[in-house]
Amino acid sequence: MQQKIGFRGLGAYVPERVMTNEDWTRYVDTSDEWIVERTGIHQRRFAGEKETTVDLGMAAARLAMEEAAVQPGELREIIVATDTPEVYNPDTAAYIQHQIGAGEVPAYDLAGSGCAGFLQAVDLACSRVAVRGGPILVLGVEAISKIMSWQDRNTCVLFGDGAGAMVIDQGQDLVEVLAVTTGTDGSKADILGKEIGGTRVPFSKEVAEDNVHNRVVMNGREVFKEAVSRMSAAAHEVLNQVGWSTDDIDLFVPHQANIRILHSVAKSLGFPLEKVYINVQDYGNTGSASVPLALWEARNKGMVPAGSKVLLTAFGAGFHWAAVLLQF
Ligand code: ACO
C-alpha cells in the first residue's frame, strides 16, 4: 500500500496571561469599541515575564509528540517557524532540539515568513519526509508581546502570543496532506515587517533614543487587500490540484489575522461562516502559531471527525502565502 504523508500529532499552547482591549487603553489611545469593530479581537494571550518562545514552543511540541506517540530520539528533523526567536542567533530550533531531547538531527528555523511560516514549514517537512523519511517536528511559535512596540497603537493591539506543533510523518494512520501550495512576492517586502536591527538599519543608540527599535512597519490597507486575494488564490490552487470545489470542504481554517479579513476570504471563496473556524476574538493574530492553534481547537471541539476534508490558508510578511488541504 502506498505510504501517505501527513501529521500524526497536533498540539498547541497559549500562555495564561490574558490581555484585554481594556488593558490596552492603559498603554495607548485606543478603545475596546475601535479594536472590536476593526479587528474582531476582544483579548489575546501574552507570555509571562519569564516565558519565552522556547517555553511556548515546548508546551505545544510535547502535546504533539505525545499524541503522535513519537519519542524524541525518533525525530529526523525539527523545523521552527517564528518571527520572534528565542535569541537573534542561533535559531530557536537548536534550543528546542536540546530541550526536547532529540538526537543530533538537523534543526533549523524558517524565520521571517510571518504568519505563513507554519504552513511553509509543513510544506518543507512533507517534502523532506518523502525524501528522507520522518518523523519531523514542525512548530509555529510567537512571543511577539516581548519584542513589539507597546506604544504603536496601529499594530500593538493586533497581536497575541501562542504556539502550535505538528509531527509530520509517513504511513497509513495519519491525517493526510493531500495538496500544498506556497508562494512569495518579494516586491511587497517593505509593506509589512520589522526593519530595525537588520543590516539596513542596525540597532543603535539613536534608534533606541527615538524609541523606534521595536516598530512594526505596516500598511494596513494594502496588507488587508493582499491577504484576502492571496489566501483566496492559494485556496483555489490546492482545490484545483485535487479537482475539488469549496463545497467538498467540511471546515475552512484560515490564518486568524482579523475578523474582517476572515469574512472577506470566506466570502470570496463562497464559504458559509458556519464552515469557517474563527478564534481571533480570543487570541488576536498569533502569527505563525495561528493556523495550528485554530486547527487544534477545532479538532478538540469535535469539528473535524474522521473523513473530514479541511482547508488551511495563511498569509504574512514577505509577502508569503500558503494553503494546505487535509484529509482526516
Ligand atoms: N485605536 C484607535 N485608533 C486607531 C488604532 C487603535 N488601536 N489604530 C489605528 N487607529 C487610527 C489611526 O491612527 C487612524 O487615524 P486617523 O484616520 O486619524 O489617521 C485610523 O485609526 C486608521 O483608520 P483606518 O486606516 O481607516 O483603519 P482601517 O479600517 O484600515 O483598520 C487595520 C486598520 C485594522 C490595521 C486594518 O487595516 C487591517 O486589519 N489591516 C490588516 C493588517 C493585519 O492584519 N496585520 C497583521 C499582520 S499581516 C497578517 O496577519 C495578514
Side-chain angles (χ1 to χ4, degrees):
M1 203 184 296
Q2 208 198 334
Q3 299 269 64
K4 297 175 187 168
I5 293 178
F7 74 85
R8 54 172 84 257
L10 176 65
Y13 175 77
V14 285
E16 274 174 28
R17 180 181 170 194
V18 174
M19 179 85 175
T20 63
N21 293 344
E22 207 52 45
D23 291 334
W24 267 123
T25 63
R26 298 205 307 269
Y27 297 88
V28 288
D29 179 15
T30 191
S31 64
D32 178 56
E33 196 188 6
W34 192 96
I35 300 171
V36 171
E37 189 190 315
R38 306 291 173 118
T39 72
I41 300 166
H42 291 257
Q43 61 178 51
R44 68 290 288 147
R45 301 293 186 92
F46 279 177
E49 206 184 322
K50 298 215 163 104
E51 231 172 356
T52 65
T53 301
V54 166
D55 297 323
L56 307 186
M58 283 297 298
R62 284 197 186 100
L63 291 177
M65 297 279 287
E66 197 178 306
E67 188 174 288
V70 163
Q71 296 305 312
E74 295 174 63
L75 288 173
R76 300 287 302 268
E77 214 158 301
I78 298 170
I79 309 173
V80 178
T82 185
D83 271 8
T84 55
E86 183 78 0
V87 295
Y88 189 84
N89 181 284
D91 42 15
T92 303
Y95 292 93
I96 296 279
Q97 183 216 44
H98 176 63
Q99 281 206 19
I100 212 157
E104 293 179 349
V105 295
Y108 50 92
D109 284 7
L110 263 193
S113 297
C115 314
F118 181 79
L119 292 187
Q120 287 187 321
V122 167
D123 180 25
L124 187 57
C126 288
S127 354
R128 299 282 284 170
V129 164
V131 175
R132 299 176 73 237
I136 293 181
L137 175 64
V138 175
L139 292 177
V141 51
E142 307 292 354
I144 191 163
S145 66
K146 300 272 178 184
I147 59 158
M148 70 183 183
S149 164
W150 284 50
Q151 278 100 44
D152 179 9
R153 68 175 184 174
N154 291 299
T155 53
C156 66
V157 300
L158 304 176
F159 298 107
D161 299 341
M166 260 183 196
V167 176
I168 306 272
D169 206 354
Q170 58 190 345
Q172 296 304 321
D173 187 18
L174 38 70
V175 177
E176 188 175 6
V177 172
L178 291 177
V180 185
T181 187
T182 61
T184 301
D185 176 5
S187 72
K188 305 271 170 56
D190 283 335
I191 288 178
L192 173 64
K194 193 161 171 282
E195 67 174 354
I196 293 171
T199 54
R200 188 195 290 177
V201 188
F203 190 79
S204 64
K205 188 162 165 272
E206 290 70 34
V207 159
E209 279 167 2
D210 288 347
N211 200 23
V212 291
H213 55 289
N214 283 335
R215 191 181 55 198
V216 173
V217 177
M218 182 180 80
N219 177 335
R221 291 189 171 195
E222 188 71 10
V223 170
F224 192 111
K225 271 194 307 197
E226 286 277 334
V228 174
S229 77
R230 295 298 192 178
M231 281 198 279
S232 305
H236 278 303
E237 161 89 30
V238 286
L239 289 169
N240 289 341
Q241 283 182 33
V242 295
W244 291 353
S245 75
T246 47
D247 291 343
D248 296 305
I249 298 299
D250 299 297
L251 191 68
F252 178 46
V253 184
H255 165 51
Q256 309 285 311
N258 77 45
I259 197 79
R260 293 188 302 151
I261 290 180
L262 291 169
H263 285 173
S264 300
V265 177
K267 192 170 168 210
S268 110
L269 288 167
F271 278 116
L273 283 181
E274 56 273 19
K275 276 196 178 186
V276 185
Y277 192 73
I278 297 176
N279 65 6
V280 69
Q281 67 282 357
D282 297 326
Y283 305 120
N285 180 346
T286 57
S288 66
S290 138
V291 171
L293 173 59
L295 181 65
W296 179 75
E297 263 201 0
R299 200 268 320 259
N300 292 356
K301 287 180 181 170
M303 294 171 75
V304 285
S308 300
K309 298 177 176 82
V310 176
L311 174 61
L312 315 175
T313 57
F315 172 87
F319 289 141
H320 298 289
W321 56 87
V324 170
L325 205 50
L326 298 173
Q327 170 78 66
F328 275 74

PDB file of all heavy atoms in Angstrom, residues 223-253:
ATOM      1  N   VAL A 223      -2.026  45.464   3.236  1.00  0.00           N
ATOM      2  CA  VAL A 223      -1.927  44.107   3.797  1.00  0.00           C
ATOM      3  C   VAL A 223      -3.294  43.433   3.732  1.00  0.00           C
ATOM      4  O   VAL A 223      -3.414  42.266   3.337  1.00  0.00           O
ATOM      5  CB  VAL A 223      -1.424  44.156   5.266  1.00  0.00           C
ATOM      6  CG1 VAL A 223      -1.566  42.799   5.924  1.00  0.00           C
ATOM      7  CG2 VAL A 223       0.019  44.626   5.324  1.00  0.00           C
ATOM      8  N   PHE A 224      -4.310  44.171   4.089  1.00  0.00           N
ATOM      9  CA  PHE A 224      -5.677  43.640   4.084  1.00  0.00           C
ATOM     10  C   PHE A 224      -6.042  43.107   2.704  1.00  0.00           C
ATOM     11  O   PHE A 224      -6.467  41.953   2.531  1.00  0.00           O
ATOM     12  CB  PHE A 224      -6.634  44.754   4.517  1.00  0.00           C
ATOM     13  CG  PHE A 224      -8.023  44.290   4.827  1.00  0.00           C
ATOM     14  CD1 PHE A 224      -8.491  44.307   6.135  1.00  0.00           C
ATOM     15  CD2 PHE A 224      -8.881  43.828   3.829  1.00  0.00           C
ATOM     16  CE1 PHE A 224      -9.771  43.868   6.428  1.00  0.00           C
ATOM     17  CE2 PHE A 224     -10.160  43.391   4.119  1.00  0.00           C
ATOM     18  CZ  PHE A 224     -10.603  43.420   5.429  1.00  0.00           C
ATOM     19  N   LYS A 225      -5.847  43.950   1.675  1.00  0.00           N
ATOM     20  CA  LYS A 225      -6.232  43.568   0.297  1.00  0.00           C
ATOM     21  C   LYS A 225      -5.461  42.343  -0.174  1.00  0.00           C
ATOM     22  O   LYS A 225      -6.023  41.398  -0.735  1.00  0.00           O
ATOM     23  CB  LYS A 225      -5.916  44.735  -0.661  1.00  0.00           C
ATOM     24  CG  LYS A 225      -7.045  45.721  -0.810  1.00  0.00           C
ATOM     25  CD  LYS A 225      -6.825  46.650  -2.002  1.00  0.00           C
ATOM     26  CE  LYS A 225      -5.503  47.324  -1.977  1.00  0.00           C
ATOM     27  NZ  LYS A 225      -5.162  48.447  -2.708  1.00  0.00           N
ATOM     28  N   GLU A 226      -4.144  42.387   0.047  1.00  0.00           N
ATOM     29  CA  GLU A 226      -3.298  41.276  -0.415  1.00  0.00           C
ATOM     30  C   GLU A 226      -3.621  39.991   0.331  1.00  0.00           C
ATOM     31  O   GLU A 226      -3.602  38.910  -0.253  1.00  0.00           O
ATOM     32  CB  GLU A 226      -1.818  41.615  -0.206  1.00  0.00           C
ATOM     33  CG  GLU A 226      -1.291  42.627  -1.184  1.00  0.00           C
ATOM     34  CD  GLU A 226      -0.879  42.006  -2.525  1.00  0.00           C
ATOM     35  OE1 GLU A 226      -0.532  40.814  -2.559  1.00  0.00           O
ATOM     36  OE2 GLU A 226      -0.915  42.730  -3.528  1.00  0.00           O
ATOM     37  N   ALA A 227      -3.891  40.121   1.635  1.00  0.00           N
ATOM     38  CA  ALA A 227      -4.194  38.924   2.439  1.00  0.00           C
ATOM     39  C   ALA A 227      -5.419  38.216   1.868  1.00  0.00           C
ATOM     40  O   ALA A 227      -5.437  36.994   1.710  1.00  0.00           O
ATOM     41  CB  ALA A 227      -4.415  39.307   3.899  1.00  0.00           C
ATOM     42  N   VAL A 228      -6.436  38.996   1.542  1.00  0.00           N
ATOM     43  CA  VAL A 228      -7.677  38.396   1.024  1.00  0.00           C
ATOM     44  C   VAL A 228      -7.411  37.748  -0.338  1.00  0.00           C
ATOM     45  O   VAL A 228      -7.769  36.585  -0.572  1.00  0.00           O
ATOM     46  CB  VAL A 228      -8.800  39.451   0.926  1.00  0.00           C
ATOM     47  CG1 VAL A 228     -10.036  38.868   0.246  1.00  0.00           C
ATOM     48  CG2 VAL A 228      -9.142  39.989   2.317  1.00  0.00           C
ATOM     49  N   SER A 229      -6.761  38.488  -1.242  1.00  0.00           N
ATOM     50  CA  SER A 229      -6.620  37.924  -2.586  1.00  0.00           C
ATOM     51  C   SER A 229      -5.631  36.756  -2.610  1.00  0.00           C
ATOM     52  O   SER A 229      -5.884  35.746  -3.267  1.00  0.00           O
ATOM     53  CB  SER A 229      -6.269  39.004  -3.606  1.00  0.00           C
ATOM     54  OG  SER A 229      -4.929  39.337  -3.498  1.00  0.00           O
ATOM     55  N   ARG A 230      -4.532  36.834  -1.859  1.00  0.00           N
ATOM     56  CA  ARG A 230      -3.548  35.742  -1.883  1.00  0.00           C
ATOM     57  C   ARG A 230      -4.082  34.492  -1.181  1.00  0.00           C
ATOM     58  O   ARG A 230      -3.840  33.372  -1.648  1.00  0.00           O
ATOM     59  CB  ARG A 230      -2.243  36.177  -1.219  1.00  0.00           C
ATOM     60  CG  ARG A 230      -1.511  37.285  -1.952  1.00  0.00           C
ATOM     61  CD  ARG A 230      -1.086  36.865  -3.340  1.00  0.00           C
ATOM     62  NE  ARG A 230      -0.161  37.840  -3.899  1.00  0.00           N
ATOM     63  CZ  ARG A 230       0.404  37.720  -5.090  1.00  0.00           C
ATOM     64  NH1 ARG A 230       0.130  36.676  -5.860  1.00  0.00           N
ATOM     65  NH2 ARG A 230       1.224  38.631  -5.548  1.00  0.00           N
ATOM     66  N   MET A 231      -4.764  34.663  -0.053  1.00  0.00           N
ATOM     67  CA  MET A 231      -5.287  33.459   0.635  1.00  0.00           C
ATOM     68  C   MET A 231      -6.366  32.789  -0.208  1.00  0.00           C
ATOM     69  O   MET A 231      -6.442  31.561  -0.273  1.00  0.00           O
ATOM     70  CB  MET A 231      -5.803  33.799   2.034  1.00  0.00           C
ATOM     71  CG  MET A 231      -4.674  33.931   3.039  1.00  0.00           C
ATOM     72  SD  MET A 231      -5.205  33.805   4.749  1.00  0.00           S
ATOM     73  CE  MET A 231      -5.811  35.451   5.039  1.00  0.00           C
ATOM     74  N   SER A 232      -7.192  33.604  -0.880  1.00  0.00           N
ATOM     75  CA  SER A 232      -8.241  33.024  -1.735  1.00  0.00           C
ATOM     76  C   SER A 232      -7.611  32.278  -2.905  1.00  0.00           C
ATOM     77  O   SER A 232      -8.009  31.150  -3.233  1.00  0.00           O
ATOM     78  CB  SER A 232      -9.164  34.120  -2.288  1.00  0.00           C
ATOM     79  OG  SER A 232      -9.694  34.872  -1.236  1.00  0.00           O
ATOM     80  N   ALA A 233      -6.606  32.904  -3.551  1.00  0.00           N
ATOM     81  CA  ALA A 233      -5.973  32.269  -4.709  1.00  0.00           C
ATOM     82  C   ALA A 233      -5.265  30.972  -4.303  1.00  0.00           C
ATOM     83  O   ALA A 233      -5.340  29.960  -5.025  1.00  0.00           O
ATOM     84  CB  ALA A 233      -4.979  33.239  -5.356  1.00  0.00           C
ATOM     85  N   ALA A 234      -4.594  31.005  -3.150  1.00  0.00           N
ATOM     86  CA  ALA A 234      -3.890  29.794  -2.689  1.00  0.00           C
ATOM     87  C   ALA A 234      -4.889  28.673  -2.405  1.00  0.00           C
ATOM     88  O   ALA A 234      -4.637  27.502  -2.714  1.00  0.00           O
ATOM     89  CB  ALA A 234      -3.070  30.117  -1.441  1.00  0.00           C
ATOM     90  N   ALA A 235      -6.029  29.038  -1.833  1.00  0.00           N
ATOM     91  CA  ALA A 235      -7.072  28.032  -1.551  1.00  0.00           C
ATOM     92  C   ALA A 235      -7.556  27.402  -2.852  1.00  0.00           C
ATOM     93  O   ALA A 235      -7.663  26.171  -2.960  1.00  0.00           O
ATOM     94  CB  ALA A 235      -8.223  28.684  -0.797  1.00  0.00           C
ATOM     95  N   HIS A 236      -7.819  28.237  -3.852  1.00  0.00           N
ATOM     96  CA  HIS A 236      -8.252  27.703  -5.161  1.00  0.00           C
ATOM     97  C   HIS A 236      -7.204  26.774  -5.746  1.00  0.00           C
ATOM     98  O   HIS A 236      -7.524  25.739  -6.315  1.00  0.00           O
ATOM     99  CB  HIS A 236      -8.529  28.852  -6.137  1.00  0.00           C
ATOM    100  CG  HIS A 236      -9.890  29.456  -5.953  1.00  0.00           C
ATOM    101  ND1 HIS A 236     -11.048  28.713  -6.027  1.00  0.00           N
ATOM    102  CD2 HIS A 236     -10.272  30.724  -5.704  1.00  0.00           C
ATOM    103  CE1 HIS A 236     -12.082  29.505  -5.822  1.00  0.00           C
ATOM    104  NE2 HIS A 236     -11.651  30.729  -5.620  1.00  0.00           N
ATOM    105  N   GLU A 237      -5.959  27.169  -5.593  1.00  0.00           N
ATOM    106  CA  GLU A 237      -4.853  26.386  -6.163  1.00  0.00           C
ATOM    107  C   GLU A 237      -4.823  24.953  -5.608  1.00  0.00           C
ATOM    108  O   GLU A 237      -4.726  23.986  -6.363  1.00  0.00           O
ATOM    109  CB  GLU A 237      -3.549  27.136  -5.859  1.00  0.00           C
ATOM    110  CG  GLU A 237      -2.284  26.341  -5.952  1.00  0.00           C
ATOM    111  CD  GLU A 237      -1.663  26.333  -7.337  1.00  0.00           C
ATOM    112  OE1 GLU A 237      -1.859  27.330  -8.041  1.00  0.00           O
ATOM    113  OE2 GLU A 237      -1.008  25.329  -7.676  1.00  0.00           O
ATOM    114  N   VAL A 238      -4.947  24.811  -4.271  1.00  0.00           N
ATOM    115  CA  VAL A 238      -4.902  23.434  -3.727  1.00  0.00           C
ATOM    116  C   VAL A 238      -6.172  22.659  -4.063  1.00  0.00           C
ATOM    117  O   VAL A 238      -6.129  21.447  -4.287  1.00  0.00           O
ATOM    118  CB  VAL A 238      -4.611  23.371  -2.201  1.00  0.00           C
ATOM    119  CG1 VAL A 238      -3.168  23.686  -1.915  1.00  0.00           C
ATOM    120  CG2 VAL A 238      -5.541  24.245  -1.394  1.00  0.00           C
ATOM    121  N   LEU A 239      -7.290  23.361  -4.125  1.00  0.00           N
ATOM    122  CA  LEU A 239      -8.538  22.674  -4.524  1.00  0.00           C
ATOM    123  C   LEU A 239      -8.404  22.163  -5.959  1.00  0.00           C
ATOM    124  O   LEU A 239      -8.781  21.022  -6.266  1.00  0.00           O
ATOM    125  CB  LEU A 239      -9.731  23.617  -4.388  1.00  0.00           C
ATOM    126  CG  LEU A 239     -10.149  23.954  -2.950  1.00  0.00           C
ATOM    127  CD1 LEU A 239     -11.165  25.090  -2.925  1.00  0.00           C
ATOM    128  CD2 LEU A 239     -10.718  22.730  -2.239  1.00  0.00           C
ATOM    129  N   ASN A 240      -7.836  23.006  -6.827  1.00  0.00           N
ATOM    130  CA  ASN A 240      -7.643  22.596  -8.235  1.00  0.00           C
ATOM    131  C   ASN A 240      -6.718  21.391  -8.349  1.00  0.00           C
ATOM    132  O   ASN A 240      -6.916  20.538  -9.209  1.00  0.00           O
ATOM    133  CB  ASN A 240      -7.069  23.752  -9.067  1.00  0.00           C
ATOM    134  CG  ASN A 240      -8.113  24.836  -9.283  1.00  0.00           C
ATOM    135  OD1 ASN A 240      -9.307  24.585  -9.135  1.00  0.00           O
ATOM    136  ND2 ASN A 240      -7.661  26.038  -9.621  1.00  0.00           N
ATOM    137  N   GLN A 241      -5.720  21.344  -7.466  1.00  0.00           N
ATOM    138  CA  GLN A 241      -4.757  20.221  -7.533  1.00  0.00           C
ATOM    139  C   GLN A 241      -5.446  18.871  -7.378  1.00  0.00           C
ATOM    140  O   GLN A 241      -4.999  17.870  -7.914  1.00  0.00           O
ATOM    141  CB  GLN A 241      -3.692  20.368  -6.435  1.00  0.00           C
ATOM    142  CG  GLN A 241      -2.617  21.399  -6.722  1.00  0.00           C
ATOM    143  CD  GLN A 241      -1.583  21.447  -5.599  1.00  0.00           C
ATOM    144  OE1 GLN A 241      -1.275  20.456  -4.961  1.00  0.00           O
ATOM    145  NE2 GLN A 241      -1.041  22.631  -5.351  1.00  0.00           N
ATOM    146  N   VAL A 242      -6.562  18.833  -6.592  1.00  0.00           N
ATOM    147  CA  VAL A 242      -7.245  17.545  -6.380  1.00  0.00           C
ATOM    148  C   VAL A 242      -8.614  17.501  -7.072  1.00  0.00           C
ATOM    149  O   VAL A 242      -9.354  16.527  -6.926  1.00  0.00           O
ATOM    150  CB  VAL A 242      -7.412  17.233  -4.870  1.00  0.00           C
ATOM    151  CG1 VAL A 242      -6.069  17.049  -4.203  1.00  0.00           C
ATOM    152  CG2 VAL A 242      -8.213  18.304  -4.178  1.00  0.00           C
ATOM    153  N   GLY A 243      -8.945  18.588  -7.783  1.00  0.00           N
ATOM    154  CA  GLY A 243     -10.203  18.614  -8.523  1.00  0.00           C
ATOM    155  C   GLY A 243     -11.442  18.797  -7.653  1.00  0.00           C
ATOM    156  O   GLY A 243     -12.531  18.318  -7.990  1.00  0.00           O
ATOM    157  N   TRP A 244     -11.270  19.464  -6.509  1.00  0.00           N
ATOM    158  CA  TRP A 244     -12.411  19.703  -5.625  1.00  0.00           C
ATOM    159  C   TRP A 244     -12.868  21.154  -5.731  1.00  0.00           C
ATOM    160  O   TRP A 244     -12.132  22.014  -6.226  1.00  0.00           O
ATOM    161  CB  TRP A 244     -12.033  19.456  -4.162  1.00  0.00           C
ATOM    162  CG  TRP A 244     -11.771  18.024  -3.811  1.00  0.00           C
ATOM    163  CD1 TRP A 244     -11.956  16.930  -4.609  1.00  0.00           C
ATOM    164  CD2 TRP A 244     -11.249  17.542  -2.574  1.00  0.00           C
ATOM    165  NE1 TRP A 244     -11.580  15.796  -3.937  1.00  0.00           N
ATOM    166  CE2 TRP A 244     -11.150  16.136  -2.681  1.00  0.00           C
ATOM    167  CE3 TRP A 244     -10.857  18.141  -1.388  1.00  0.00           C
ATOM    168  CZ2 TRP A 244     -10.682  15.338  -1.652  1.00  0.00           C
ATOM    169  CZ3 TRP A 244     -10.389  17.359  -0.356  1.00  0.00           C
ATOM    170  CH2 TRP A 244     -10.305  15.969  -0.481  1.00  0.00           C
ATOM    171  N   SER A 245     -14.085  21.396  -5.198  1.00  0.00           N
ATOM    172  CA  SER A 245     -14.561  22.772  -5.061  1.00  0.00           C
ATOM    173  C   SER A 245     -14.723  23.062  -3.562  1.00  0.00           C
ATOM    174  O   SER A 245     -14.575  22.144  -2.729  1.00  0.00           O
ATOM    175  CB  SER A 245     -15.906  22.949  -5.768  1.00  0.00           C
ATOM    176  OG  SER A 245     -16.917  22.355  -4.986  1.00  0.00           O
ATOM    177  N   THR A 246     -15.051  24.292  -3.229  1.00  0.00           N
ATOM    178  CA  THR A 246     -15.237  24.631  -1.807  1.00  0.00           C
ATOM    179  C   THR A 246     -16.381  23.816  -1.194  1.00  0.00           C
ATOM    180  O   THR A 246     -16.379  23.565   0.006  1.00  0.00           O
ATOM    181  CB  THR A 246     -15.518  26.135  -1.623  1.00  0.00           C
ATOM    182  OG1 THR A 246     -16.500  26.530  -2.566  1.00  0.00           O
ATOM    183  CG2 THR A 246     -14.282  26.962  -1.842  1.00  0.00           C
ATOM    184  N   ASP A 247     -17.335  23.364  -2.015  1.00  0.00           N
ATOM    185  CA  ASP A 247     -18.450  22.549  -1.499  1.00  0.00           C
ATOM    186  C   ASP A 247     -17.957  21.237  -0.896  1.00  0.00           C
ATOM    187  O   ASP A 247     -18.626  20.642  -0.049  1.00  0.00           O
ATOM    188  CB  ASP A 247     -19.455  22.216  -2.620  1.00  0.00           C
ATOM    189  CG  ASP A 247     -20.194  23.452  -3.078  1.00  0.00           C
ATOM    190  OD1 ASP A 247     -20.167  24.457  -2.321  1.00  0.00           O
ATOM    191  OD2 ASP A 247     -20.775  23.427  -4.188  1.00  0.00           O
ATOM    192  N   ASP A 248     -16.800  20.759  -1.358  1.00  0.00           N
ATOM    193  CA  ASP A 248     -16.262  19.493  -0.841  1.00  0.00           C
ATOM    194  C   ASP A 248     -15.611  19.650   0.530  1.00  0.00           C
ATOM    195  O   ASP A 248     -15.292  18.650   1.182  1.00  0.00           O
ATOM    196  CB  ASP A 248     -15.213  18.925  -1.818  1.00  0.00           C
ATOM    197  CG  ASP A 248     -15.834  18.558  -3.152  1.00  0.00           C
ATOM    198  OD1 ASP A 248     -16.801  17.775  -3.139  1.00  0.00           O
ATOM    199  OD2 ASP A 248     -15.372  19.063  -4.191  1.00  0.00           O
ATOM    200  N   ILE A 249     -15.371  20.883   0.942  1.00  0.00           N
ATOM    201  CA  ILE A 249     -14.616  21.134   2.184  1.00  0.00           C
ATOM    202  C   ILE A 249     -15.569  21.183   3.388  1.00  0.00           C
ATOM    203  O   ILE A 249     -16.604  21.846   3.355  1.00  0.00           O
ATOM    204  CB  ILE A 249     -13.835  22.469   2.070  1.00  0.00           C
ATOM    205  CG1 ILE A 249     -12.814  22.380   0.927  1.00  0.00           C
ATOM    206  CG2 ILE A 249     -13.153  22.836   3.375  1.00  0.00           C
ATOM    207  CD1 ILE A 249     -11.760  21.295   1.092  1.00  0.00           C
ATOM    208  N   ASP A 250     -15.185  20.465   4.459  1.00  0.00           N
ATOM    209  CA  ASP A 250     -16.019  20.448   5.666  1.00  0.00           C
ATOM    210  C   ASP A 250     -15.686  21.597   6.611  1.00  0.00           C
ATOM    211  O   ASP A 250     -16.564  22.110   7.300  1.00  0.00           O
ATOM    212  CB  ASP A 250     -15.813  19.111   6.406  1.00  0.00           C
ATOM    213  CG  ASP A 250     -16.230  17.944   5.538  1.00  0.00           C
ATOM    214  OD1 ASP A 250     -17.420  17.876   5.196  1.00  0.00           O
ATOM    215  OD2 ASP A 250     -15.349  17.132   5.159  1.00  0.00           O
ATOM    216  N   LEU A 251     -14.417  21.966   6.662  1.00  0.00           N
ATOM    217  CA  LEU A 251     -14.043  23.077   7.546  1.00  0.00           C
ATOM    218  C   LEU A 251     -12.897  23.869   6.917  1.00  0.00           C
ATOM    219  O   LEU A 251     -11.918  23.302   6.441  1.00  0.00           O
ATOM    220  CB  LEU A 251     -13.613  22.555   8.927  1.00  0.00           C
ATOM    221  CG  LEU A 251     -13.452  23.647   9.992  1.00  0.00           C
ATOM    222  CD1 LEU A 251     -14.792  24.267  10.374  1.00  0.00           C
ATOM    223  CD2 LEU A 251     -12.765  23.102  11.240  1.00  0.00           C
ATOM    224  N   PHE A 252     -13.058  25.189   6.946  1.00  0.00           N
ATOM    225  CA  PHE A 252     -12.046  26.105   6.423  1.00  0.00           C
ATOM    226  C   PHE A 252     -11.368  26.767   7.622  1.00  0.00           C
ATOM    227  O   PHE A 252     -12.044  27.364   8.470  1.00  0.00           O
ATOM    228  CB  PHE A 252     -12.741  27.141   5.528  1.00  0.00           C
ATOM    229  CG  PHE A 252     -11.828  28.186   4.950  1.00  0.00           C
ATOM    230  CD1 PHE A 252     -10.606  27.854   4.382  1.00  0.00           C
ATOM    231  CD2 PHE A 252     -12.222  29.525   4.929  1.00  0.00           C
ATOM    232  CE1 PHE A 252      -9.777  28.820   3.832  1.00  0.00           C
ATOM    233  CE2 PHE A 252     -11.409  30.501   4.380  1.00  0.00           C
ATOM    234  CZ  PHE A 252     -10.179  30.145   3.829  1.00  0.00           C
ATOM    235  N   VAL A 253     -10.053  26.630   7.707  1.00  0.00           N
ATOM    236  CA  VAL A 253      -9.307  27.195   8.847  1.00  0.00           C
ATOM    237  C   VAL A 253      -8.256  28.172   8.308  1.00  0.00           C
ATOM    238  O   VAL A 253      -7.117  27.792   8.020  1.00  0.00           O
ATOM    239  CB  VAL A 253      -8.627  26.078   9.678  1.00  0.00           C
ATOM    240  CG1 VAL A 253      -7.936  26.671  10.913  1.00  0.00           C
ATOM    241  CG2 VAL A 253      -9.633  25.015  10.099  1.00  0.00           C
TER     242      VAL A 253
END
